[in-house]
Structure formats: C-alpha cells, structure tokens
Amino acid sequence: MTVPAAGAADREVPDVFDPRGYADGLPHAAYRLLRDRYPVAWQEEHEVLGWPAGPGFWAVTRHEDVVRVLKDARTFSSHLGATQIRDPDPADLPFIRRMMLNQDPPDHGRLRRSVSRAFTPRQVDRFGTVVRERARGLLTAAVATARAGNGVGDLVTAVTDDFALLNLADLLGVPAAERELLLDWTRRVIGYQDPDESGPPASGPDGRPANPRSPAMLQDMFGFARELAAHKRRYPGDDVMTVLASDPELATPELEMFFFLLTIAGNDTVRSAAPGGLLALARHPDAYRRLRTGAVGTATAVEELLRWHPPVLSFRRTTAHDTELAGRPLRAGDKVVVFHGSANFDERVFTAPHRLDLARSANPHVSFGDGPHVCLGAHLARLQLRVLYEETCRLLPALAVAGPPRRLVSNFIHGLKSLPLRLVDVPPGE
C-alpha cells in the first residue's frame, strides 16, 4: 500500500475519517479544501471510539473522480477489501465477499439480476398504495399528538423511523410481530459508531469491539432469514422474500446475504434520507412553499433533497492494479474511499451547490452511487420519499425547526436521530 511521506502540506489536510466530525452535519469547509487542493488525499485511520487504528486510505472528494472510481470496477474493486472503510478481519473476508455489494462483475451481475426479479411492476404498484396510506397515517397521528401538546413533534421518532421500517417489512413480507427486529439489526450494523444506536459494544476474543458485520455477530439475522424463507416456500405471499426463497439459482448463503443487504440498506437509505429532506425544507421555507403550491415538481425536488442530504457518506474500494487518479499515483492494494457528500457539492459540476434549488434540472448527484453498484432499490426509495413529501405538503402548511436536530455519529451513514419540528401553532395557555 502507498504511504505518503509526511510534509508541511500534509498537516493542513483535514480529517474526514473521524465519525465525530459528522455530528454537526457535512463538513463542507473540509470537503471544499480537499476538492480544491487535495482531491485525492491521504487520511490516517486513527483509533477512535474504541475502534483500533487502521492502515489509512485515500479520500476522493471531487465529483469526476468519485464517479470514475464507482464506475471502474476493474481498477477499483469492491471484492478485494469489501466496501467499508475499516478493514475486515481477514478470517471474515470470504464471508463478507458473499454479499452482492462486495463483489465485482460478473459475479455481482448474476446476483443483481436475481434480486431484480423480485421487484415486479405489480408489487411496486401495490407498494406505492400502501406507502401513501402509511405516510398519511403517521403524519396525521404526529400532528394530532403535537396539537395535544406543545405543537412540536419529533419527525424521526413519530414518522420517518416507522415509515422506513414498516415499508421495508411489507416489501420483505416480515410478519408484524417480528418487525422491530429489522430496526434492531439496522441500529447494530449501521449505528455501531454511535453509543445511542449501538447499545453496549460486544467484544471479540481480543477484547476489541466486535465487527457488527462479522459472521459471529450476524447469526441471529441469518437464522431468521432461513426460517422466513422456509415459511415463504410453504405459504407464499406477494413479497420479495417469497420470490427469493423460490429462486432455484440462489444458494442459502446468498439468500442470507440478500436478506442482510435488503434489511440494512433498504431500511437505512430511506430512514436517513427522509428526515434529512424534511430538515432542509424546514430550513428553507420559500422552497417548501414552492413545493406545496406546485411551483416545482415533487420528483425533481426529491433529487435535489437527495443531493443536499445524501443518505450514504462514503464507500470504500481497493485498487486492483497500479493506477493514477487526479494526478496521484496509486499502487495495487491501496484503499480508496469516495465521499458522496463532497461530490454532491462540487462547484465544478453543480452551479451554486449551497443553494437549495428544488427545480435544479441537471442534477447528477451520487447519493445512490454510480456504476455497477448503483443502488438496487433506488426507484423504491424515490417512490417512498416522493410520497412522504407529497403527504407532508398536504397536511402541514409550514415547517419550522423547533430545536437542534441530533445526528448519527458515523462516517458511513448520514443519519438523524431526532428532528423536532413545529407542526401546529398552539395558542398560549393551552
């Protein structure tokens, strides 16, 4: 692996690795400095939050370079070192490589085609109807609760967490009594850097925190996936797990990994993007007014809100051979990490990127990735977000932030743990 020599210039390279640096939102000043002066910059993986130090990586922050890395799977591999910043335990790597996300073409394409067959037009149409009813019900209940109190509601706990979770459970065909398991697994895997989300850390044999994506830590999820698949073979339904369970080309380990991927990515993409979009609208009342009055279309607005608040902050690749990126020589085996939030605000691509423009027509954001690993469920995520924003506009004449939002401590997911908004005006004395 390439390790750059230390020098005076290196000392001004900002740290965009530390998960705590995202607790106040995207580090735009750091991103801008990196894009302008160090578009492929060396980052130390220091020990943080009890997690051990790593070998370091190259941070890629310009849109053009991010897209190149994501599209060029022959040079920048998902398979060699998987897709998370921290290196997995070498003993776990063969297991982690079973997941479609951590594979390169052509193996990746075979599995992607298998799961694509689960999203039939009939199922998507049915899903859209259920999603709208759910959004309307959750928002109506949140408004009623706010009206009975001080007029303020936490949109994360009252609406968006349940919205994402229940939609995913319907899509997978998970029984109602088991749905909270999906949220528990998501918090364990996605929120492992945040004490509020992860709970007490589990330790490995060496006393260090156990990797939440390791085989040992996922056995309960995989056991549930096998039981659910067996149930769907006996009692098929109109859901994704029924389709996957009946696919003769899908081996049991592959099915388990699909369940993991759909549970985690399928839940947290919407769970993170939805409150981020609502926060942006609350902070830009003129934009929200234009959306409510139909001056801008919801589908176009969804793309701008995704650009503004990408649900995923970073993804890792590993160089398969010696190459060059933005003039920086890279060696085979180097760890390369793309930063979606930086690419989405690159002035070289987006005019006035720090202006929320819901009518932005050329909007090549990378919030759902690019290339062979572009998000498989992006169309379903867009559907959910569009419906949620439409129902919000219908029920809430105005949005106003009623307190500081609380953000997930993570360098991977751009999540919100709390979003207090004023939903109704309560007269004094009530």
Side-chain angles (χ1 to χ4, degrees):
M1 172 174 284
T2 306
V3 180
D10 296 325
R11 288 195 289 271
E12 71 171 292
V13 173
D15 176 7
V16 292
F17 164 71
D18 194 327
R20 296 168 296 188
Y22 297 88
D24 294 323
L26 295 179
H28 285 298
Y31 283 163
R32 177 67 185 265
L33 177 60
L34 291 175
R35 287 195 303 269
D36 288 350
R37 302 192 60 180
Y38 312 101
V40 180
W42 184 254
Q43 295 281 299
E44 299 289 344
E45 284 181 77
H46 45 84
E47 183 172 356
V48 61
L49 297 170
W51 293 87
F57 61 90
W58 296 105
V60 181
T61 48
R62 285 184 186 168
H63 186 278
E64 178 184 7
D65 301 323
V66 167
V67 169
R68 180 190 161 192
V69 170
L70 293 175
K71 285 187 172 182
D72 186 0
R74 290 182 180 275
T75 303
F76 302 100
S77 170
S78 299
H79 176 75
L80 289 175
T83 50
Q84 298 299 301
I85 293 180
R86 289 210 178 271
D87 290 337
D89 187 310
D92 292 342
L93 190 54
F95 163 83
I96 292 170
R97 285 171 171 166
R98 295 179 191 168
M99 190 186 304
M100 183 177 67
L101 187 68
N102 301 320
Q103 295 181 357
D104 296 329
D107 293 336
H108 163 266
R110 178 185 70 82
L111 291 176
R112 191 178 180 95
R113 286 190 295 274
S114 293
V115 77
S116 293
R117 290 195 289 268
F119 298 109
T120 64
R122 175 171 173 253
Q123 187 177 57
V124 171
D125 288 345
R126 179 189 66 82
F127 185 61
T129 300
V130 172
V131 165
R132 187 170 298 278
E133 293 172 352
R134 177 163 293 127
R136 186 173 300 169
L138 289 169
L139 286 164
T140 300
V143 170
T145 301
R147 183 173 288 117
N150 63 357
V152 173
D154 184 342
L155 265 288
V156 169
T157 57
V159 177
T160 58
D161 266 5
D162 283 345
F163 181 68
L165 172 68
L166 297 174
N167 290 341
L168 174 68
D170 278 348
L171 192 68
L172 291 175
V174 172
E178 310 289 350
R179 289 176 172 179
E180 284 300 319
L181 288 173
L182 302 180
L183 183 58
D184 289 342
W185 288 323
T186 300
R187 283 176 168 157
R188 183 199 305 174
V189 173
I190 294 296
Y192 75 96
Q193 295 171 320
D194 190 314
D196 292 343
E197 293 283 295
S198 62
S203 297
D206 59 358
R208 296 278 192 172
N211 187 334
R213 296 173 177 83
S214 66
M217 297 297 291
L218 295 174
Q219 287 310 305
D220 56 340
M221 182 190 292
F222 288 167
F224 180 87
R226 291 191 297 270
E227 292 177 8
L228 182 61
H231 177 80
K232 295 298 180 182
R233 293 184 189 105
R234 293 193 301 270
Y235 307 102
D238 186 14
D239 54 67
V240 168
M241 279 301 288
T242 293
V243 176
L244 295 179
S246 60
D247 187 339
E249 298 181 12
L250 208 60
T252 296
E254 293 174 332
L255 184 143
E256 293 170 356
M257 281 299 196
F258 267 136
F259 184 79
F260 171 88
L261 182 61
L262 293 169
T263 296
I264 305 306
N267 185 20
D268 225 73
T269 299
V270 175
R271 182 176 174 236
S272 300
L278 292 171
L279 175 60
L281 292 172
R283 286 179 168 170
H284 296 82
D286 288 344
Y288 185 55
R289 177 186 53 77
R290 296 188 71 217
L291 185 61
R292 286 194 70 247
T293 59
V296 294
T298 313
T300 305
V302 165
E303 299 307 313
E304 177 69 348
L305 293 169
L306 281 166
R307 183 190 72 84
W308 192 267
H309 186 100
V312 176
L313 293 167
S314 64
F315 261 120
R316 174 253 183 100
R317 298 291 189 266
T318 305
T319 50
H321 54 78
D322 291 358
T323 188
E324 184 179 281
L325 186 64
R328 171 77 71 175
L330 305 178
R331 301 299 298 260
D334 279 3
K335 191 188 308 188
V336 175
V337 178
V338 297
F339 285 82
H340 301 248
S342 177
N344 281 0
F345 285 82
D346 190 343
E347 299 82 357
R348 297 156 190 81
V349 175
F350 301 97
T351 302
H354 292 278
R355 183 182 73 232
L356 184 70
D357 180 3
L358 299 185
R360 192 182 295 270
S361 57
N363 201 341
H365 66 76
V366 292
S367 295
F368 287 136
D370 206 330
H373 283 285
V374 67
C375 179
L376 182 64
H379 62 300
L380 291 174
R382 285 183 167 101
L383 183 155
Q384 293 175 71
L385 295 170
R386 175 176 57 79
V387 166
L388 179 65
Y389 299 148
E390 286 172 353
E391 292 302 312
T392 300
C393 288
R394 191 181 69 83
L395 289 168
L396 298 174
L399 293 175
V401 179
R406 294 174 57 245
R407 298 177 184 271
L408 187 69
V409 177
S410 174
N411 57 18
F412 177 45
I413 291 294
H414 194 194
L416 285 170
K417 299 183 289 186
S418 176
L419 177 58
L421 297 183
R422 179 159 295 283
L423 304 182
V424 292
D425 290 323
V426 178
E430 291 194 11

